[in-house]
Every structure is written in structure tokens, then in C-alpha cells.
Amino acid sequence: NAGVTQTPKFQVLKTGQSMTLQCAQDMNHNSMYWYRQDPGMGLRLIYYSASEGTTDKGEVPNGYNVSRLNKREFSLRLESAAPSQTSVYFCAGTGQFADEQFFGPGTRLTVL
Amino acid sequence: DAKTTQPPSMDCAEGRAANLPCNHSTISGNEYVYWYRQIHSQGPQYIIHGLKNNETNEMASLIITEDRKSSTLILPHATLRDTAVYYCIVRVWIGSFQKLVFGTGTRLLVSP
């Protein structure tokens, strides 16, 4: 039982490049989330998926897209990376009536 | 916008109780208070949550004031491994969906 996993762990991009951050969970979570964390800051919600087949914008969705591929997987795509998207990205999941969000280990992204 | 206010940093001696305060004066009647911590930029880890009653688990105790405008997380016997950033969070409703709203947290340093 790996919980919530994220790939890659580290990534360096050049401005304008695209990439997809992958997240998978084996805890049968209904809801999944993508957050970003900038230095010295708390986590900010980018997108979330309340259930399989649905996605919604969070606080800071601009420049990102998401796909809830199935119940296990929730990916985050940067179509044209910008230096302002340099951050640590965390994926999380929770069940419909669960009281706790489980977080992945994070992806550290640098955009040059 | 974060609905909580925390001191940016606190110190505690190893073996002593760590009492971390949090103000959430605009909390609504059906919104829970959650505490998470983050060690070395890992994914946040759930600690405890509550609505209006005091709560205790194997990690910590949560004391919520009667008016629910503030709360205190208590680590009864702090260890060096409790050094982390502690986030006091209000879980808010978006329609029928709930999300966590992170603030900037309190950096707790436990010293020998």
C-alpha cells in the first residue's frame, strides 16, 4: 500500500516547455487535489476532483490543466511553463466521508 | 483566503509541552478546525481535527474555545522529531464539497 505517489520527484524545465505531473493513489479515494507551495508559504489549491469524471478550479488554476483519468490517477499539466510556476507541487486524496487528506511526497519543479 | 492566524515561529524544549495557538474568528458553525504538520518540505501530515469539543489522539490534543474563535494544539512531550511547520486549517464548504484552506503556519523548533 503505497498511499499517494507522485512522479517525477524533481524536474527542470525551460520557459515555454510543457510537462505533466502524475499522481496515483491506491487508497480508493474519491476526491483528489493538486496544490502548489511556494517558499515560506502555505499550500494553495490549484485544481480538485470531487469524484471520478469531475474536475474544478481551486484558488490558483491559471496556467494549468488537469485530468482525472480514472479513480486512481489525477494528472496536472503545464502547457507552457513559466518561471512563476517554479514551486513544489503536492497531490492529495481523501474518501467521500474521510476526515483526513493524505498527501504525496511532492514534485519539485524549476522553470528557467 | 486563509481563515486562520498563527504566530510565525515558536520554540520548545525537548520533553516539555508545546502549545501552538491559532485564531479563526470568522469560522462558520459547520466548519471544522484541522491541524497538519510539514517536516522538511515533505507532504503535510494530518495530526487532529475538531468541531467544538476538545479532541485527543495518540499524537496531540486539540483545545477549542467555547466561542470557537480560537484553538490550541498541544504536543504533550515534544521531541526533536516534532520540529516542523504546523498548519491550523479551516475546512470550508464549496457547495457539497469540502476543501482545506492553508495559512502560512507556525514553525516549531524543538531544542535539546
Side-chain angles (χ1 to χ4, degrees), chain B residues 13-75:
Chain B
E14 187 178 21
R16 304 298 294 270
N19 297 286
L20 288 80
C22 179
N23 288 321
H24 32 78
S25 58
T26 61
I27 195 169
S28 299
N30 62 350
E31 292 176 341
Y32 281 72
V33 178
Y34 275 68
W35 284 83
Y36 278 72
R37 72 180 183 183
Q38 190 174 26
I39 299 173
H40 294 310
S41 297
Q42 298 173 11
Q45 176 191 22
Y46 167 83
I47 301 173
I48 199 167
H49 74 283
L51 183 62
K52 51 185 171 182
N53 297 322
N54 297 338
E55 302 288 345
T56 296
N57 63 20
E58 64 278 4
M59 290 182 68
S61 295
L62 174 60
I63 309 298
I64 302 174
T65 58
E66 194 167 341
D67 63 8
R68 299 209 331 119
K69 292 185 177 182
S70 65
S71 60
T72 301
L73 178 74
I74 301 172
L75 307 178

Side-chain angles (χ1 to χ4, degrees), chain A residues 62-80:
Chain A
N62 292 343
Y64 306 95
N65 285 302
V66 291
S67 295
R68 183 75 183 267
L69 304 170
N70 47 54
K71 190 169 186 178
R72 289 189 64 249
E73 299 171 290
F74 188 37
S75 63
L76 179 71
R77 183 160 179 84
L78 287 70
E79 291 290 352
S80 179

